[in-house]
Amino acid sequence: MQTRFLVPGALKRVAWQHTTRRVQQRSIHVDCLEKGTNGEQTKYQAALFIDNVFPLKMSRLDIRPYLVLRNSGAMRKKVQGLLPELPHGASISDIDPHFRDGGSLVHFTFEAGSGLEAARDKAQGVVDAVNTHVQAHSKQRWLGLATRALAVRGVPFCEDIVRMLPSKRVRVEFCGPALGVEQVYGEFRPYGRILDIEMPNDAARWAVVHYTRLRGATSARNCVHGDVVGTTKLLLAYVRENREHVAVQWIKDHSKFMIPLAAAALIAAIYAVFDPIREFCVENKITHRFDLSHVPLLGDVRRAAMRSLLRRDSAPQQDMSAWSGLTDQGSRLASILDEPPESFVVVSGPHGSGKTRVVEQATAGKKYCIVVDARKLAAEHSDLEQMTQLARQLGWWPVFNSIISITNAVDMMVKATTGSNAGISATPESQVRRILETLALALANIRQRRLQLQAREREHEGRSFSESVHTVPSADIPVIVLDNFMDKSIAFT
């Protein structure tokens, strides 16, 4: 008695050879079209599937297939160019491109004897000849994979369902007695390497075959669907995969600190996007860049129309000389404002004494003047409304009042999860500081542009640079007026 020892590699080869022999017993599907009479041969029809001809459609948004071919006629012509002259007197009867699966079904007819086994052998010979020719002469390669021709063992299900996209996982339903894992493996292994076969139990009415490559699943779907193994008919369908990205899944698994981090990043992005817009709006408010009332002709027409609508006397307003001492005070304030700013100026006096008139006369020649009315700020009922009113007077736009609530909620969430404050909460006071910082930055930009313009003018005129270039004309010095700021009748903080 002889004992034979098998190493793992040899055992794997023996098992694969046994599986190959068992698979080879499974033959191509052949249909009889015309049965021969009086000794004539019978006409049969079979089909083969050529894969890796077109790019696979990975999703509904995948545009690669549309960039390659646009109509079915061009696709059939492309498949026709891959096929050789069929042996055994066979002829092509139809070409059915499967645009989504990246391949095409080729139906061919041939004549053979009345025996079905002889017809199957002849049809398999046609498939083998086409496969040899295609692999040797095809130049088209997608993802570095060669084109191959496979025998169709069942009856393909030709459909164009939009949501039924190719998948590496194929669900196999058993219409008849259940098949075992070995039978399923032997039926589906010739089309590609199998990653896993999912079966609840040996008596299950279905199985899921998971291929390592997508082309294996598409080939099996077109070649095995409708095949009959014993008395069991196999029906195949793609299993819709959850194409969730690994990074998205990692974020979901670590949501404890990713949610606060994402919220902080969102807030930082909002600040980075809208801060330049707010700075631009504040500069427009100061310079009156888009204010039509400051255009000489339009401004005069507008003022004349307002006077006529309000039925006011068209005569000029009462001169300041009618008020005792106001002319001298206005001139003195104007001379102070013409000097380089080093401190602030306080204009005080009894109510109705003409303080506003003095300030208006002194700032009449200023190009950049902005007024903040403290009375309107004090009239608001909450700090948030005061902040909104200040932003409106300074032209600070857009204003997102809800961002304060969102940042406070995120800060509370971070504190509840990590035990420490994230430091991203916002308050009306912090928003007021941001508004004032934007105002300061806008004034600095205006001054810098005026200095650059002054330097270019001097260079163009050929003037010397002996004078200081760090000062701007008195008319170009910005002025900020805080109206009603020292009024004791209002409670403003």
Side-chain angles (χ1 to χ4, degrees):
M1 181 177 180
Q2 296 180 354
T3 303
R4 182 171 59 181
F5 297 95
L6 296 177
V7 297
L11 181 62
K12 184 176 181 180
R13 288 194 299 271
V14 172
W16 169 245
Q17 292 173 1
H18 175 68
T19 302
T20 304
R21 288 194 300 269
R22 183 177 59 193
V23 169
Q24 289 175 352
Q25 294 175 1
R26 305 286 307 132
S27 56
I28 188 174
H29 178 78
V30 176
D31 292 327
C32 180
L33 299 181
E34 296 180 4
K35 192 172 183 178
T37 58
N38 299 327
E40 295 181 356
Q41 290 187 332
T42 304
K43 187 176 182 179
Y44 295 94
Q45 182 179 11
L48 58 89
F49 179 75
I50 302 180
D51 71 344
N52 205 36
V53 181
F54 316 112
L56 291 169
K57 190 173 181 61
M58 307 297 293
S59 66
R60 287 179 294 178
L61 302 178
D62 191 359
I63 63 173
R64 294 179 304 158
Y66 300 99
L67 298 178
V68 179
L69 297 173
R70 298 179 179 270
N71 53 70
S72 58
M75 297 169 66
R76 289 188 175 90
K77 185 176 181 181
K78 180 179 179 59
V79 176
Q80 182 72 36
L82 296 176
L83 299 175
E85 183 178 354
L86 301 184
H88 307 298
S91 61
I92 299 173
S93 60
D94 186 26
I95 296 178
D96 185 12
H98 282 202
F99 187 61
R100 181 187 56 195
D101 294 335
S104 176
L105 285 172
V106 178
H107 300 272
F108 59 92
T109 58
F110 61 95
E111 294 181 352
S114 58
L116 191 60
E117 292 298 330
R120 289 175 176 172
D121 292 341
K122 185 173 289 188
Q124 187 63 46
V126 173
V127 174
D128 294 340
V130 173
N131 185 38
T132 303
H133 175 82
V134 166
Q135 291 187 356
H137 297 87
S138 64
K139 298 181 180 180
Q140 184 66 41
R141 297 289 187 272
W142 292 105
L143 300 178
L145 303 176
T147 303
R148 57 181 180 173
L150 303 168
V152 176
R153 300 177 181 175
V155 180
F157 177 33
C158 300
E159 43 77 24
D160 57 352
I161 302 176
V162 177
R163 297 179 65 88
M164 192 176 291
L165 297 174
S167 170
K168 294 181 181 180
R169 303 175 70 225
V170 180
R171 180 183 174 90
V172 185
E173 294 186 6
F174 306 137
C175 297
L179 301 182
V181 176
E182 292 184 359
Q183 292 176 296
V184 174
Y185 175 81
E187 186 73 16
F188 290 91
R189 178 61 180 86
Y191 305 100
R193 295 195 61 183
I194 297 176
L195 182 64
D196 189 18
I197 299 178
E198 302 175 11
M199 296 182 64
N201 49 65
D202 293 337
R205 308 293 302 175
W206 59 271
V208 176
V209 181
H210 191 178
Y211 281 93
T212 58
R213 289 183 178 271
L214 196 58
R215 68 180 301 208
T218 55
S219 300
R221 171 75 165 71
N222 287 275
C223 295
V224 183
H225 182 84
D227 189 15
V228 179
V229 181
T231 59
T232 303
K233 185 177 182 180
L234 305 181
L235 301 179
L236 277 67
Y238 293 121
V239 178
R240 189 177 180 181
E241 292 185 355
N242 184 14
R243 301 180 183 274
E244 189 173 34
H245 199 273
V246 178
V248 177
Q249 184 63 35
W250 187 86
I251 291 174
K252 289 183 177 180
D253 295 339
H254 302 81
S255 59
K256 183 176 181 179
F257 63 91
M258 286 304 300
I259 292 178
L261 183 61
L266 177 62
I267 295 172
I270 291 176
Y271 285 152
V273 171
F274 289 105
D275 275 359
I277 299 177
R278 290 163 176 164
E279 181 182 343
F280 177 76
C281 293
V282 172
E283 289 186 11
N284 293 337
K285 182 72 173 182
I286 298 173
T287 59
H288 306 286
R289 188 179 304 168
F290 301 107
D291 191 354
L292 297 180
S293 62
H294 284 73
V295 178
L297 180 59
L298 295 178
D300 295 340
V301 172
R302 178 176 178 271
R303 284 189 290 271
M306 291 299 295
R307 282 197 297 267
S308 61
L309 291 175
L310 298 177
R311 295 183 179 180
R312 291 182 178 178
D313 188 7
S314 58
Q317 296 181 354
Q318 185 178 4
D319 188 56
M320 290 186 59
S321 60
W323 299 81
S324 177
L326 291 185
T327 304
D328 297 337
Q329 296 293 341
S331 302
R332 180 184 177 188
L333 179 59
S335 62
I336 295 175
L337 296 178
D338 289 340
E339 299 176 357
E342 296 179 354
S343 61
F344 59 91
V345 181
V346 178
V347 180
S348 61
H351 184 69
S353 60
K355 300 184 294 299
T356 303
R357 188 69 58 81
V358 171
V359 174
E360 289 178 354
Q361 182 193 19
T363 58
K366 296 294 183 180
K367 293 183 179 180
Y368 312 117
C369 180
I370 188 167
V371 181
V372 178
D373 192 350
R375 187 181 298 276
K376 293 181 179 180
L377 297 178
E380 303 296 341
H381 300 286
S382 63
D383 294 342
L384 186 60
E385 293 177 353
Q386 288 184 356
M387 183 269 295
T388 305
Q389 179 63 232
L390 178 62
R392 187 180 300 113
Q393 294 185 23
L394 296 180
W396 197 78
W397 183 89
V399 181
F400 299 108
N401 293 334
S402 59
I403 200 69
I404 298 177
S405 303
I406 295 175
T407 53
N408 292 338
V410 172
D411 194 53
M412 292 178 60
M413 196 186 318
V414 173
K415 185 176 181 180
T417 55
T418 62
S420 59
N421 294 325
I424 60 176
S425 60
T427 60
E429 291 78 5
S430 63
Q431 289 294 94
V432 169
R433 284 195 295 269
R434 291 184 59 85
I435 295 174
L436 297 179
E437 289 174 358
T438 306
L439 175 61
L441 184 60
L443 294 176
N445 292 338
I446 292 174
R447 178 179 181 274
Q448 185 65 27
R449 282 198 295 270
R450 294 303 302 173
L451 291 175
Q452 293 176 357
L453 179 60
Q454 183 179 355
R456 286 197 298 269
E457 291 177 352
R458 291 182 177 180
E459 183 179 0
H460 179 71
E461 295 175 0
R463 296 166 56 187
S464 62
F465 293 90
S466 59
E467 300 180 8
S468 175
V469 296
H470 298 286
T471 59
V472 296
S474 59
D476 295 339
I477 298 177
V479 178
I480 302 176
V481 179
L482 302 180
D483 194 11
N484 298 317
F485 185 74
M486 301 182 64
D487 194 344
K488 296 182 180 180
S489 62
I490 60 176
F492 174 70
T493 56

